[in-house]
Structure formats: C-alpha cells, structure tokens
Amino acid sequence: MEIKVAEHCGFCYGVKRAVALAQKAATDRVQGATLGPLIHNPQLIAELASEGIACKDSLEQFAPGETVIFRSHGEGPETYAQAEKQGLTILDATCPNVRLAQQKAAQAAADGYFPVIVGEKNHPEVKSILKWAGKNAICVECIKDISYVPRRERYGVIIQTTFELQKFNDILQALQEQRPGEYRVERTICLATAQRQQAAVKLAAESDAVIVIGGRNSGNTRRLYEICKARCEATHHIESDVEIDPSWLDGVERIGITAGASTPQEHIDAVRDRVRELAGGVA
C-alpha cells in the first residue's frame, strides 16, 4: 500500500506562534490561562492545561494581575479594554493574518464602506473580525445569506482567513451581481490555507481513501474534509490515530493523509505509523 502525506498540512505559522507563546508561558510558570481554546485541537489544549496553562471561558474568571492569553482566532476591541480594566496582563497570540483581517475590516468601515465578512457565522475568528468592523457589519456564509445584505453604494468585503477560496469566489460573484456598487475586496485568506486546500485537492484525486486529521471543531479541518470528500468518497475525519478503523484499508492501494492547521506534526506521524502498521497486518 502506498501512503502519501499531503505536501502542505498541519501547523501553520499562526498556530505555531500561538502554541510557542503559550508553552513559553507554561515554562516561565506564568499565572494565567487562555481565554477560550487557544487553537481548535482538544489534545493540545489538554496538554497545555497539564503544563499549567488552563482554558477559561470568560474574563470574569481571571484574578487581577493574572495573564490572559488571547487565542489565535483573535478578540474584539472591547475585550482588550475589559482585560486592561481588570488589571490583567495580555499575552496576544492572535494570528497575524487574522489581525490583518481585523484591521482591513476596521479600515473599510472607517472609509465609508459597508463591511461584509465572508466566512462562518459561528467561528470565533469571524466574530472577532465583525467586532472590529463595527455594529453595521454583516457576515455572509453562503449565497442565500446575500438576501440579508442591505443595499449600499460601497461594500468592503473581507474573507475569513481559513475559508475555502472557491466558495469565496462564488459568493463574491453572486454578491456583486445581487448588490451592485463600488467594491473594495480584501482577499485575506492566508497563504497556508490556500496551499493546504490545493494540496488536498491533488491528494484526494490521487487516492483510493483519505484520512483528514484535526479537531472536529476546527473550521479549516472541516473544509479539508469537504474538499477531499468531494473528490474521494472514502474520506474520513479523525482527531487521533486511535480512531482509525482497519476496514477503511480494505481494498485500498493508495491512501492519502492530510491535516488541519491546528494539528501537530506528531499527530500526523502517529496516524501515518498506525496506517502503516494496519496495512502490514492486512497484507
């Protein structure tokens, strides 16, 4: 059996940076926690907690003087203000690409454009971008959502950094057709996301089965799964190697492995090793 790992998969720069900041805080024995999950990977969140960096749900759970670590998905301006008001030390692990999207959204609103954020409504990154864009901003997740976009003369369009590029292009075309006007389009999808999606397309087209690794609450991992599933029916989404079903390998000659941006290399290696072990067992 041929086992192939996607050319681009696993940790992206923003996630690596966030994890490194949190791990250093643990090493330095900083008294603090993350505000919400640092990244969408339950196993890594549990590891950080065991090292002394827990995950808290709200600022009210922090004591004055503690350190609050803002997650890679970003926070709104009012969260920064509230943390400072409470006397907390801020360790900002916001992904630089997300921060850029926040800035683009705020600038679009300041320049008189109606901000339209294309992305998942319930994703924490999108929620943070909306807060920087102001109270009149709106999120469009699919083409049917365009009916909720008010008619304006000028629109500023910003994309969730981990959104599917082709889906964004389809939504943008429909938006411009249904809501004509002047457009400022900020293509803030990050390079790592685009590379992972393109690599997933190639991998799925060349495989009899595909395993996608990543948190089930990870938007970019779900998109990799959807991309692969559309091209290879035998696509499976798992969080760890223990979830692999040996029957997935029956009759399979070529199996592909890819992983979301919040998946550590050691998790990818563990899945590859498990597949190799099972392949040897059924050969």
Side-chain angles (χ1 to χ4, degrees), residues 105 114-131 133-150 155-161 163 167-168 171 175 223:
F114 183 86
V116 178
I117 316 303
V118 179
E120 297 171 279
K121 295 186 179 90
N122 294 320
H123 195 283
E125 176 194 327
V126 172
K127 291 179 178 180
S128 78
I129 296 172
L130 283 167
K131 289 174 181 176
K135 62 181 181 180
N136 293 322
I138 192 170
C139 175
V140 171
E141 186 169 349
C142 57
I143 289 177
K144 69 177 183 179
D145 288 340
I146 295 173
S147 62
Y148 300 108
V149 177
Y155 295 97
V157 181
I158 298 92
I159 180 174
Q160 177 185 348
T161 63
F163 205 64
K167 188 175 181 181
F168 168 71
I171 291 173
L175 178 64
R223 274 181 289 285

mmCIF file of all heavy atoms in Angstrom, residues 105 114-131 133-150 155-161 163 167-168 171 175 223:
data_model
loop_
_atom_site.group_PDB
_atom_site.id
_atom_site.type_symbol
_atom_site.label_atom_id
_atom_site.label_comp_id
_atom_site.label_asym_id
_atom_site.label_seq_id
_atom_site.Cartn_x
_atom_site.Cartn_y
_atom_site.Cartn_z
ATOM 1 N N ALA A 105 -10.993 45.200 8.061
ATOM 2 C CA ALA A 105 -12.410 45.400 8.319
ATOM 3 C C ALA A 105 -12.665 46.755 8.984
ATOM 4 O O ALA A 105 -13.587 47.492 8.614
ATOM 5 C CB ALA A 105 -12.954 44.268 9.204
ATOM 6 N N PHE A 114 -19.496 49.543 3.513
ATOM 7 C CA PHE A 114 -20.290 48.656 4.354
ATOM 8 C C PHE A 114 -19.550 47.327 4.461
ATOM 9 O O PHE A 114 -19.367 46.637 3.454
ATOM 10 C CB PHE A 114 -21.684 48.432 3.761
ATOM 11 C CG PHE A 114 -22.574 47.590 4.627
ATOM 12 C CD1 PHE A 114 -23.318 48.170 5.639
ATOM 13 C CD2 PHE A 114 -22.645 46.212 4.454
ATOM 14 C CE1 PHE A 114 -24.126 47.391 6.461
ATOM 15 C CE2 PHE A 114 -23.433 45.426 5.263
ATOM 16 C CZ PHE A 114 -24.183 46.023 6.271
ATOM 17 N N PRO A 115 -19.102 46.922 5.673
ATOM 18 C CA PRO A 115 -18.283 45.713 5.801
ATOM 19 C C PRO A 115 -19.097 44.422 5.662
ATOM 20 O O PRO A 115 -20.094 44.221 6.353
ATOM 21 C CB PRO A 115 -17.696 45.820 7.218
ATOM 22 C CG PRO A 115 -17.902 47.244 7.632
ATOM 23 C CD PRO A 115 -19.178 47.656 6.945
ATOM 24 N N VAL A 116 -18.668 43.581 4.738
ATOM 25 C CA VAL A 116 -19.258 42.255 4.552
ATOM 26 C C VAL A 116 -18.160 41.228 4.814
ATOM 27 O O VAL A 116 -17.161 41.190 4.091
ATOM 28 C CB VAL A 116 -19.813 42.072 3.129
ATOM 29 C CG1 VAL A 116 -20.385 40.657 2.966
ATOM 30 C CG2 VAL A 116 -20.885 43.110 2.828
ATOM 31 N N ILE A 117 -18.331 40.428 5.859
ATOM 32 C CA ILE A 117 -17.342 39.419 6.205
ATOM 33 C C ILE A 117 -17.812 38.079 5.641
ATOM 34 O O ILE A 117 -18.880 37.586 6.022
ATOM 35 C CB ILE A 117 -17.149 39.295 7.736
ATOM 36 C CG1 ILE A 117 -17.062 40.687 8.383
ATOM 37 C CG2 ILE A 117 -15.938 38.430 8.048
ATOM 38 C CD1 ILE A 117 -15.984 41.573 7.840
ATOM 39 N N VAL A 118 -17.053 37.490 4.736
ATOM 40 C CA VAL A 118 -17.401 36.194 4.162
ATOM 41 C C VAL A 118 -16.718 35.107 4.977
ATOM 42 O O VAL A 118 -15.483 35.031 5.031
ATOM 43 C CB VAL A 118 -16.979 36.109 2.682
ATOM 44 C CG1 VAL A 118 -17.330 34.725 2.115
ATOM 45 C CG2 VAL A 118 -17.662 37.202 1.864
ATOM 46 N N GLY A 119 -17.534 34.285 5.643
ATOM 47 C CA GLY A 119 -16.980 33.242 6.496
ATOM 48 C C GLY A 119 -18.074 32.577 7.310
ATOM 49 O O GLY A 119 -19.266 32.817 7.094
ATOM 50 N N GLU A 120 -17.675 31.740 8.250
ATOM 51 C CA GLU A 120 -18.613 31.009 9.093
ATOM 52 C C GLU A 120 -19.126 31.894 10.234
ATOM 53 O O GLU A 120 -18.327 32.386 11.034
ATOM 54 C CB GLU A 120 -17.942 29.772 9.685
ATOM 55 C CG GLU A 120 -17.491 28.761 8.654
ATOM 56 C CD GLU A 120 -16.650 27.666 9.291
ATOM 57 O OE1 GLU A 120 -15.446 27.903 9.510
ATOM 58 O OE2 GLU A 120 -17.201 26.592 9.583
ATOM 59 N N LYS A 121 -20.419 32.053 10.316
ATOM 60 C CA LYS A 121 -21.022 32.958 11.303
ATOM 61 C C LYS A 121 -20.607 32.644 12.735
ATOM 62 O O LYS A 121 -20.410 33.545 13.546
ATOM 63 C CB LYS A 121 -22.546 32.904 11.202
ATOM 64 C CG LYS A 121 -23.121 33.417 9.901
ATOM 65 C CD LYS A 121 -24.641 33.456 9.990
ATOM 66 C CE LYS A 121 -25.237 33.984 8.691
ATOM 67 N NZ LYS A 121 -25.509 32.931 7.723
ATOM 68 N N ASN A 122 -20.501 31.370 13.069
ATOM 69 C CA ASN A 122 -20.243 30.983 14.456
ATOM 70 C C ASN A 122 -18.772 30.729 14.758
ATOM 71 O O ASN A 122 -18.434 30.258 15.848
ATOM 72 C CB ASN A 122 -21.065 29.734 14.805
ATOM 73 C CG ASN A 122 -22.554 30.012 14.800
ATOM 74 O OD1 ASN A 122 -22.994 31.065 15.263
ATOM 75 N ND2 ASN A 122 -23.343 29.086 14.275
ATOM 76 N N HIS A 123 -17.896 31.035 13.804
ATOM 77 C CA HIS A 123 -16.470 30.819 14.038
ATOM 78 C C HIS A 123 -15.905 31.986 14.842
ATOM 79 O O HIS A 123 -16.214 33.146 14.572
ATOM 80 C CB HIS A 123 -15.738 30.713 12.697
ATOM 81 C CG HIS A 123 -14.363 30.138 12.808
ATOM 82 N ND1 HIS A 123 -13.294 30.880 13.274
ATOM 83 C CD2 HIS A 123 -13.870 28.896 12.539
ATOM 84 C CE1 HIS A 123 -12.208 30.120 13.271
ATOM 85 N NE2 HIS A 123 -12.532 28.917 12.831
ATOM 86 N N PRO A 124 -15.071 31.697 15.863
ATOM 87 C CA PRO A 124 -14.538 32.780 16.709
ATOM 88 C C PRO A 124 -13.742 33.828 15.940
ATOM 89 O O PRO A 124 -13.753 35.007 16.294
ATOM 90 C CB PRO A 124 -13.669 32.046 17.738
ATOM 91 C CG PRO A 124 -13.433 30.680 17.170
ATOM 92 C CD PRO A 124 -14.638 30.373 16.346
ATOM 93 N N GLU A 125 -13.047 33.422 14.879
ATOM 94 C CA GLU A 125 -12.305 34.400 14.084
ATOM 95 C C GLU A 125 -13.262 35.399 13.440
ATOM 96 O O GLU A 125 -13.033 36.614 13.474
ATOM 97 C CB GLU A 125 -11.483 33.713 12.994
ATOM 98 C CG GLU A 125 -10.773 34.704 12.083
ATOM 99 C CD GLU A 125 -10.234 34.096 10.811
ATOM 100 O OE1 GLU A 125 -9.831 32.917 10.819
ATOM 101 O OE2 GLU A 125 -10.198 34.805 9.779
ATOM 102 N N VAL A 126 -14.317 34.884 12.845
ATOM 103 C CA VAL A 126 -15.295 35.755 12.180
ATOM 104 C C VAL A 126 -15.951 36.693 13.193
ATOM 105 O O VAL A 126 -16.151 37.883 12.924
ATOM 106 C CB VAL A 126 -16.355 34.913 11.447
ATOM 107 C CG1 VAL A 126 -17.484 35.794 10.915
ATOM 108 C CG2 VAL A 126 -15.720 34.144 10.297
ATOM 109 N N LYS A 127 -16.264 36.171 14.361
ATOM 110 C CA LYS A 127 -16.866 37.006 15.404
ATOM 111 C C LYS A 127 -15.941 38.145 15.796
ATOM 112 O O LYS A 127 -16.387 39.277 16.027
ATOM 113 C CB LYS A 127 -17.218 36.157 16.622
ATOM 114 C CG LYS A 127 -18.372 35.186 16.391
ATOM 115 C CD LYS A 127 -18.663 34.361 17.641
ATOM 116 C CE LYS A 127 -19.846 33.428 17.411
ATOM 117 N NZ LYS A 127 -20.146 32.600 18.617
ATOM 118 N N SER A 128 -14.631 37.862 15.854
ATOM 119 C CA SER A 128 -13.679 38.913 16.228
ATOM 120 C C SER A 128 -13.564 39.953 15.117
ATOM 121 O O SER A 128 -13.496 41.159 15.390
ATOM 122 C CB SER A 128 -12.305 38.311 16.547
ATOM 123 O OG SER A 128 -11.571 37.972 15.380
ATOM 124 N N ILE A 129 -13.560 39.522 13.864
ATOM 125 C CA ILE A 129 -13.465 40.459 12.747
ATOM 126 C C ILE A 129 -14.695 41.363 12.712
ATOM 127 O O ILE A 129 -14.589 42.578 12.480
ATOM 128 C CB ILE A 129 -13.307 39.709 11.412
ATOM 129 C CG1 ILE A 129 -11.987 38.929 11.390
ATOM 130 C CG2 ILE A 129 -13.338 40.685 10.227
ATOM 131 C CD1 ILE A 129 -11.838 37.996 10.196
ATOM 132 N N LEU A 130 -15.859 40.777 12.952
ATOM 133 C CA LEU A 130 -17.101 41.557 12.966
ATOM 134 C C LEU A 130 -17.057 42.658 14.021
ATOM 135 O O LEU A 130 -17.536 43.772 13.791
ATOM 136 C CB LEU A 130 -18.300 40.637 13.219
ATOM 137 C CG LEU A 130 -18.788 39.796 12.034
ATOM 138 C CD1 LEU A 130 -19.759 38.723 12.504
ATOM 139 C CD2 LEU A 130 -19.457 40.686 10.985
ATOM 140 N N LYS A 131 -16.455 42.356 15.157
ATOM 141 C CA LYS A 131 -16.386 43.353 16.233
ATOM 142 C C LYS A 131 -15.478 44.521 15.850
ATOM 143 O O LYS A 131 -15.746 45.667 16.216
ATOM 144 C CB LYS A 131 -15.921 42.694 17.526
ATOM 145 C CG LYS A 131 -16.987 41.778 18.131
ATOM 146 C CD LYS A 131 -16.482 41.003 19.337
ATOM 147 C CE LYS A 131 -17.563 40.095 19.876
ATOM 148 N NZ LYS A 131 -17.071 39.239 20.998
ATOM 149 N N ALA A 133 -15.102 45.466 12.799
ATOM 150 C CA ALA A 133 -15.752 46.115 11.657
ATOM 151 C C ALA A 133 -16.880 47.059 12.070
ATOM 152 O O ALA A 133 -17.361 47.845 11.252
ATOM 153 C CB ALA A 133 -16.297 45.057 10.700
ATOM 154 N N GLY A 134 -17.325 46.983 13.323
ATOM 155 C CA GLY A 134 -18.376 47.885 13.781
ATOM 156 C C GLY A 134 -19.760 47.258 13.771
ATOM 157 O O GLY A 134 -19.971 46.183 13.224
ATOM 158 N N LYS A 135 -20.707 47.982 14.356
ATOM 159 C CA LYS A 135 -22.043 47.426 14.592
ATOM 160 C C LYS A 135 -22.835 47.179 13.321
ATOM 161 O O LYS A 135 -23.817 46.414 13.331
ATOM 162 C CB LYS A 135 -22.838 48.356 15.516
ATOM 163 C CG LYS A 135 -23.069 49.738 14.951
ATOM 164 C CD LYS A 135 -23.852 50.600 15.939
ATOM 165 C CE LYS A 135 -24.113 51.999 15.368
ATOM 166 N NZ LYS A 135 -24.872 52.842 16.329
ATOM 167 N N ASN A 136 -22.478 47.796 12.196
ATOM 168 C CA ASN A 136 -23.266 47.634 10.973
ATOM 169 C C ASN A 136 -22.760 46.514 10.072
ATOM 170 O O ASN A 136 -23.353 46.249 9.023
ATOM 171 C CB ASN A 136 -23.274 48.949 10.178
ATOM 172 C CG ASN A 136 -24.029 50.049 10.911
ATOM 173 O OD1 ASN A 136 -25.048 49.795 11.541
ATOM 174 N ND2 ASN A 136 -23.516 51.269 10.837
ATOM 175 N N ALA A 137 -21.679 45.859 10.440
ATOM 176 C CA ALA A 137 -21.111 44.805 9.602
ATOM 177 C C ALA A 137 -22.015 43.574 9.583
ATOM 178 O O ALA A 137 -22.821 43.356 10.496
ATOM 179 C CB ALA A 137 -19.729 44.430 10.108
ATOM 180 N N ILE A 138 -21.863 42.767 8.548
ATOM 181 C CA ILE A 138 -22.671 41.559 8.411
ATOM 182 C C ILE A 138 -21.800 40.418 7.927
ATOM 183 O O ILE A 138 -20.798 40.632 7.235
ATOM 184 C CB ILE A 138 -23.848 41.807 7.425
ATOM 185 C CG1 ILE A 138 -24.877 40.672 7.497
ATOM 186 C CG2 ILE A 138 -23.342 41.986 5.991
ATOM 187 C CD1 ILE A 138 -26.161 40.970 6.741
ATOM 188 N N CYS A 139 -22.170 39.200 8.295
ATOM 189 C CA CYS A 139 -21.450 38.012 7.851
ATOM 190 C C CYS A 139 -22.270 37.289 6.785
ATOM 191 O O CYS A 139 -23.481 37.104 6.939
ATOM 192 C CB CYS A 139 -21.185 37.070 9.029
ATOM 193 S SG CYS A 139 -20.411 35.496 8.549
ATOM 194 N N VAL A 140 -21.605 36.870 5.735
ATOM 195 C CA VAL A 140 -22.233 36.070 4.681
ATOM 196 C C VAL A 140 -21.509 34.736 4.625
ATOM 197 O O VAL A 140 -20.316 34.687 4.347
ATOM 198 C CB VAL A 140 -22.158 36.782 3.314
ATOM 199 C CG1 VAL A 140 -22.618 35.849 2.201
ATOM 200 C CG2 VAL A 140 -22.996 38.049 3.324
ATOM 201 N N GLU A 141 -22.235 33.669 4.910
ATOM 202 C CA GLU A 141 -21.626 32.332 4.938
ATOM 203 C C GLU A 141 -21.899 31.551 3.660
ATOM 204 O O GLU A 141 -21.121 30.685 3.275
ATOM 205 C CB GLU A 141 -22.157 31.562 6.147
ATOM 206 C CG GLU A 141 -21.492 30.218 6.364
ATOM 207 C CD GLU A 141 -21.843 29.599 7.710
ATOM 208 O OE1 GLU A 141 -22.422 30.284 8.562
ATOM 209 O OE2 GLU A 141 -21.518 28.414 7.900
ATOM 210 N N CYS A 142 -23.005 31.868 2.992
ATOM 211 C CA CYS A 142 -23.367 31.187 1.756
ATOM 212 C C CYS A 142 -24.158 32.157 0.878
ATOM 213 O O CYS A 142 -24.552 33.235 1.327
ATOM 214 C CB CYS A 142 -24.188 29.932 2.041
ATOM 215 S SG CYS A 142 -25.686 30.254 2.997
ATOM 216 N N ILE A 143 -24.407 31.770 -0.342
ATOM 217 C CA ILE A 143 -25.039 32.670 -1.300
ATOM 218 C C ILE A 143 -26.426 33.124 -0.836
ATOM 219 O O ILE A 143 -26.802 34.290 -1.033
ATOM 220 C CB ILE A 143 -25.098 32.001 -2.689
ATOM 221 C CG1 ILE A 143 -23.684 31.915 -3.279
ATOM 222 C CG2 ILE A 143 -26.018 32.773 -3.637
ATOM 223 C CD1 ILE A 143 -23.593 31.201 -4.613
ATOM 224 N N LYS A 144 -27.174 32.266 -0.193
ATOM 225 C CA LYS A 144 -28.525 32.660 0.229
ATOM 226 C C LYS A 144 -28.500 33.762 1.290
ATOM 227 O O LYS A 144 -29.481 34.494 1.451
ATOM 228 C CB LYS A 144 -29.320 31.451 0.735
ATOM 229 C CG LYS A 144 -28.823 30.871 2.045
ATOM 230 C CD LYS A 144 -29.730 29.719 2.479
ATOM 231 C CE LYS A 144 -29.295 29.158 3.837
ATOM 232 N NZ LYS A 144 -30.177 28.055 4.289
ATOM 233 N N ASP A 145 -27.377 33.903 1.995
ATOM 234 C CA ASP A 145 -27.265 34.956 3.014
ATOM 235 C C ASP A 145 -27.212 36.349 2.392
ATOM 236 O O ASP A 145 -27.411 37.347 3.096
ATOM 237 C CB ASP A 145 -26.001 34.747 3.863
ATOM 238 C CG ASP A 145 -26.112 33.569 4.815
ATOM 239 O OD1 ASP A 145 -27.244 33.145 5.101
ATOM 240 O OD2 ASP A 145 -25.055 33.085 5.262
ATOM 241 N N ILE A 146 -26.962 36.430 1.103
ATOM 242 C CA ILE A 146 -26.851 37.734 0.441
ATOM 243 C C ILE A 146 -28.157 38.513 0.539
ATOM 244 O O ILE A 146 -28.161 39.749 0.561
ATOM 245 C CB ILE A 146 -26.433 37.552 -1.037
ATOM 246 C CG1 ILE A 146 -25.024 36.947 -1.102
ATOM 247 C CG2 ILE A 146 -26.468 38.882 -1.795
ATOM 248 C CD1 ILE A 146 -24.578 36.568 -2.502
ATOM 249 N N SER A 147 -29.260 37.803 0.670
ATOM 250 C CA SER A 147 -30.562 38.480 0.772
ATOM 251 C C SER A 147 -30.653 39.364 2.015
ATOM 252 O O SER A 147 -31.482 40.278 2.069
ATOM 253 C CB SER A 147 -31.695 37.438 0.790
ATOM 254 O OG SER A 147 -31.579 36.587 1.924
ATOM 255 N N TYR A 148 -29.783 39.093 3.016
ATOM 256 C CA TYR A 148 -29.797 39.892 4.246
ATOM 257 C C TYR A 148 -28.870 41.103 4.163
ATOM 258 O O TYR A 148 -28.857 41.939 5.073
ATOM 259 C CB TYR A 148 -29.376 39.024 5.441
ATOM 260 C CG TYR A 148 -30.267 37.833 5.683
ATOM 261 C CD1 TYR A 148 -29.825 36.542 5.407
ATOM 262 C CD2 TYR A 148 -31.576 38.003 6.164
ATOM 263 C CE1 TYR A 148 -30.642 35.435 5.620
ATOM 264 C CE2 TYR A 148 -32.395 36.900 6.380
ATOM 265 C CZ TYR A 148 -31.932 35.630 6.103
ATOM 266 O OH TYR A 148 -32.746 34.550 6.302
ATOM 267 N N VAL A 149 -28.085 41.197 3.110
ATOM 268 C CA VAL A 149 -27.159 42.317 2.964
ATOM 269 C C VAL A 149 -27.926 43.554 2.495
ATOM 270 O O VAL A 149 -28.584 43.522 1.449
ATOM 271 C CB VAL A 149 -26.049 41.989 1.942
ATOM 272 C CG1 VAL A 149 -25.129 43.194 1.747
ATOM 273 C CG2 VAL A 149 -25.248 40.773 2.407
ATOM 274 N N PRO A 150 -27.885 44.642 3.260
ATOM 275 C CA PRO A 150 -28.604 45.858 2.849
ATOM 276 C C PRO A 150 -27.997 46.464 1.591
ATOM 277 O O PRO A 150 -26.822 46.247 1.294
ATOM 278 C CB PRO A 150 -28.436 46.784 4.056
ATOM 279 C CG PRO A 150 -27.204 46.304 4.740
ATOM 280 C CD PRO A 150 -27.158 44.827 4.531
ATOM 281 N N TYR A 155 -19.212 48.682 -0.759
ATOM 282 C CA TYR A 155 -19.064 47.496 0.081
ATOM 283 C C TYR A 155 -17.577 47.170 0.267
ATOM 284 O O TYR A 155 -16.791 47.205 -0.687
ATOM 285 C CB TYR A 155 -19.742 46.277 -0.551
ATOM 286 C CG TYR A 155 -21.246 46.397 -0.674
ATOM 287 C CD1 TYR A 155 -21.828 46.819 -1.872
ATOM 288 C CD2 TYR A 155 -22.088 46.098 0.391
ATOM 289 C CE1 TYR A 155 -23.206 46.934 -2.002
ATOM 290 C CE2 TYR A 155 -23.473 46.211 0.275
ATOM 291 C CZ TYR A 155 -24.014 46.633 -0.922
ATOM 292 O OH TYR A 155 -25.379 46.746 -1.040
ATOM 293 N N GLY A 156 -17.227 46.842 1.513
ATOM 294 C CA GLY A 156 -15.888 46.360 1.814
ATOM 295 C C GLY A 156 -15.986 44.891 2.174
ATOM 296 O O GLY A 156 -16.617 44.531 3.172
ATOM 297 N N VAL A 157 -15.399 44.024 1.361
ATOM 298 C CA VAL A 157 -15.508 42.581 1.554
ATOM 299 C C VAL A 157 -14.207 42.028 2.128
ATOM 300 O O VAL A 157 -13.125 42.253 1.570
ATOM 301 C CB VAL A 157 -15.847 41.866 0.230
ATOM 302 C CG1 VAL A 157 -15.972 40.357 0.456
ATOM 303 C CG2 VAL A 157 -17.136 42.432 -0.362
ATOM 304 N N ILE A 158 -14.323 41.318 3.244
ATOM 305 C CA ILE A 158 -13.165 40.707 3.907
ATOM 306 C C ILE A 158 -13.448 39.229 4.063
ATOM 307 O O ILE A 158 -14.576 38.837 4.400
ATOM 308 C CB ILE A 158 -12.909 41.353 5.295
ATOM 309 C CG1 ILE A 158 -12.575 42.848 5.148
ATOM 310 C CG2 ILE A 158 -11.770 40.648 6.016
ATOM 311 C CD1 ILE A 158 -13.793 43.740 5.242
ATOM 312 N N ILE A 159 -12.462 38.381 3.834
ATOM 313 C CA ILE A 159 -12.664 36.934 3.897
ATOM 314 C C ILE A 159 -12.040 36.349 5.160
ATOM 315 O O ILE A 159 -10.950 36.758 5.569
ATOM 316 C CB ILE A 159 -12.087 36.247 2.634
ATOM 317 C CG1 ILE A 159 -12.285 34.731 2.691
ATOM 318 C CG2 ILE A 159 -10.627 36.585 2.465
ATOM 319 C CD1 ILE A 159 -11.858 34.012 1.417
ATOM 320 N N GLN A 160 -12.757 35.418 5.775
ATOM 321 C CA GLN A 160 -12.191 34.645 6.885
ATOM 322 C C GLN A 160 -10.900 33.987 6.399
ATOM 323 O O GLN A 160 -10.859 33.416 5.305
ATOM 324 C CB GLN A 160 -13.198 33.583 7.332
ATOM 325 C CG GLN A 160 -12.714 32.651 8.431
ATOM 326 C CD GLN A 160 -13.734 31.561 8.730
ATOM 327 O OE1 GLN A 160 -14.881 31.623 8.284
ATOM 328 N NE2 GLN A 160 -13.322 30.559 9.478
ATOM 329 N N THR A 161 -9.852 34.042 7.179
ATOM 330 C CA THR A 161 -8.535 33.610 6.703
ATOM 331 C C THR A 161 -8.476 32.133 6.331
ATOM 332 O O THR A 161 -7.619 31.730 5.538
ATOM 333 C CB THR A 161 -7.445 33.897 7.748
ATOM 334 O OG1 THR A 161 -7.699 33.137 8.935
ATOM 335 C CG2 THR A 161 -7.391 35.375 8.089
ATOM 336 N N PHE A 163 -11.195 30.341 5.105
ATOM 337 C CA PHE A 163 -12.357 29.984 4.286
ATOM 338 C C PHE A 163 -11.896 29.320 2.990
ATOM 339 O O PHE A 163 -10.766 29.519 2.533
ATOM 340 C CB PHE A 163 -13.170 31.238 3.972
ATOM 341 C CG PHE A 163 -14.622 30.986 3.673
ATOM 342 C CD1 PHE A 163 -15.466 30.473 4.645
ATOM 343 C CD2 PHE A 163 -15.154 31.277 2.423
ATOM 344 C CE1 PHE A 163 -16.811 30.259 4.385
ATOM 345 C CE2 PHE A 163 -16.490 31.067 2.144
ATOM 346 C CZ PHE A 163 -17.324 30.549 3.127
ATOM 347 N N LYS A 167 -15.240 28.717 -2.749
ATOM 348 C CA LYS A 167 -16.534 29.109 -2.205
ATOM 349 C C LYS A 167 -16.609 30.626 -2.052
ATOM 350 O O LYS A 167 -17.646 31.249 -2.327
ATOM 351 C CB LYS A 167 -16.763 28.421 -0.845
ATOM 352 C CG LYS A 167 -18.163 28.620 -0.280
ATOM 353 C CD LYS A 167 -18.345 27.804 0.994
ATOM 354 C CE LYS A 167 -19.747 27.988 1.558
ATOM 355 N NZ LYS A 167 -19.939 27.210 2.811
ATOM 356 N N PHE A 168 -15.505 31.225 -1.633
ATOM 357 C CA PHE A 168 -15.459 32.682 -1.519
ATOM 358 C C PHE A 168 -15.674 33.335 -2.884
ATOM 359 O O PHE A 168 -16.438 34.294 -3.017
ATOM 360 C CB PHE A 168 -14.128 33.134 -0.937
ATOM 361 C CG PHE A 168 -13.888 34.617 -1.056
ATOM 362 C CD1 PHE A 168 -14.601 35.518 -0.286
ATOM 363 C CD2 PHE A 168 -12.967 35.116 -1.973
ATOM 364 C CE1 PHE A 168 -14.395 36.891 -0.414
ATOM 365 C CE2 PHE A 168 -12.750 36.476 -2.110
ATOM 366 C CZ PHE A 168 -13.474 37.366 -1.326
ATOM 367 N N ILE A 171 -19.310 33.189 -3.840
ATOM 368 C CA ILE A 171 -20.118 34.123 -3.050
ATOM 369 C C ILE A 171 -19.875 35.552 -3.513
ATOM 370 O O ILE A 171 -20.816 36.338 -3.666
ATOM 371 C CB ILE A 171 -19.801 33.970 -1.545
ATOM 372 C CG1 ILE A 171 -20.319 32.625 -1.031
ATOM 373 C CG2 ILE A 171 -20.415 35.122 -0.739
ATOM 374 C CD1 ILE A 171 -19.909 32.312 0.396
ATOM 375 N N LEU A 175 -22.606 38.098 -4.879
ATOM 376 C CA LEU A 175 -22.807 39.323 -4.117
ATOM 377 C C LEU A 175 -22.753 40.540 -5.033
ATOM 378 O O LEU A 175 -23.594 41.445 -4.956
ATOM 379 C CB LEU A 175 -21.742 39.432 -3.020
ATOM 380 C CG LEU A 175 -21.768 40.682 -2.130
ATOM 381 C CD1 LEU A 175 -23.060 40.741 -1.322
ATOM 382 C CD2 LEU A 175 -20.559 40.697 -1.206
ATOM 383 N N ARG A 223 -13.170 21.987 6.242
ATOM 384 C CA ARG A 223 -13.109 22.325 4.826
ATOM 385 C C ARG A 223 -12.190 21.376 4.062
ATOM 386 O O ARG A 223 -12.477 21.006 2.921
ATOM 387 C CB ARG A 223 -12.689 23.782 4.648
ATOM 388 C CG ARG A 223 -13.886 24.727 4.724
ATOM 389 C CD ARG A 223 -13.476 26.161 4.524
ATOM 390 N NE ARG A 223 -12.737 26.686 5.658
ATOM 391 C CZ ARG A 223 -13.299 27.034 6.821
ATOM 392 N NH1 ARG A 223 -14.596 26.890 6.993
ATOM 393 N NH2 ARG A 223 -12.572 27.514 7.809
#
